[in-house]
């Protein structure tokens, strides 16, 4: 999750550089003279983050679900991807509507040099920070399957002494 947040911050920084370059040096069609290789760092970070997320999520489902529900665990992973796609569509629609204002350009304007896509990336990074904090609270409170309860551990320690 932290790597995904970093990738969004890097994407925002690269987009700001691309937009500034396009406005300062771009041709009549609004293109930027920057190389497409500027996208490599954020895309590599996104790939690493997604790999860790996918493997960790599937492993968690397989270890924590009862054995007769393993197929459901795999399905839940794909359902979470589908839910994320719907949530992403909702977020795009919300940002377009709320940042446009009367007669103003939205962050996600059709003309990329008029819009502020970098702000959108920073918004996603901020949402990622909130998600990471929520995850840390849930992870702290979660009790893994097969883990003895704290009371049982305390009884065992008292029995030793």
């Amino acid at each position: 999750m932290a790597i995904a947040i970093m990738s969004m911050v890097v994407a925002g920084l690269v987009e700001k550089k691309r937009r500034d370059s396009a406005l300062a040096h771009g041709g009549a069609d609004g293109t930027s003279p920057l190389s497409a290789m500027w996208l490599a760092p954020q895309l590599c970070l996104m790939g690493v983050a997604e790999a860790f997320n996918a493997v960790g999520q599937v492993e968690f489902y397989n270890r924590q679900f009862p054995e007769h529900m393993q197929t459901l665990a795999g399905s839940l992973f794909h359902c979470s991807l589908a839910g994320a796609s719907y949530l992403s569509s909702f977020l795009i629609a919300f940002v377009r509507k709320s940042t446009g204002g009367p007669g103003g350009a939205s962050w996600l304007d059709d003309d990329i040099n008029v819009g502020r896509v970098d702000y959108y990336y920073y918004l996603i990074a901020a949402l990622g920070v909130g998600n990471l904090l929520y995850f840390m609270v849930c992870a702290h409170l979660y009790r893994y399957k097969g883990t003895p309860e704290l009371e049982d551990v305390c009884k065992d320690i008292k029995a030793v002494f």
Side-chain angles (χ1 to χ4, degrees), residues 11-159:
L13 294 172
V14 169
E15 173 56 24
K16 178 165 177 24
K17 182 163 184 65
R18 187 219 55 83
R19 184 176 183 270
D20 291 345
S21 174
L23 293 175
H25 304 100
D29 59 353
T31 58
S32 171
L34 288 180
S35 168
M37 290 305 292
W38 277 89
L39 299 175
Q42 70 198 38
L43 294 176
C44 288
L45 285 171
M46 286 179 203
V48 168
E50 184 59 32
F52 280 134
N53 178 42
V55 170
Q57 196 171 359
V58 169
E59 183 69 18
F60 175 78
Y61 291 153
N62 286 336
R63 287 184 185 238
Q64 296 302 305
F65 271 59
E67 286 192 30
H68 62 280
M69 296 179 71
Q70 295 296 315
T71 307
L72 180 65
S75 301
L76 188 58
F77 173 73
H78 293 291
C79 287
S80 69
L81 292 177
S85 294
Y86 282 117
L87 189 60
S88 174
S89 297
F90 170 75
L91 183 63
I92 288 171
F94 177 76
V95 167
R96 279 185 179 256
K97 189 169 191 104
S98 63
T99 61
S106 130
W107 289 355
L108 300 174
D109 196 80
D110 290 335
D111 183 354
I112 194 169
N113 293 329
V114 172
R116 296 303 306 248
V117 180
D118 52 338
Y119 292 170
Y120 181 70
Y121 288 138
Y122 297 141
L123 173 66
I124 294 173
L127 291 172
V129 168
N131 187 38
L132 178 60
L133 293 174
Y134 177 70
F135 171 79
M136 291 174 80
V137 168
C138 291
H140 178 72
L141 297 174
Y142 184 78
R143 298 290 170 240
Y144 286 95
K145 180 176 86 174
T147 303
E149 292 297 321
L150 186 58
E151 296 165 0
D152 295 337
V153 172
C154 290
K155 287 179 188 175
D156 293 340
I157 292 173
K158 286 180 183 177

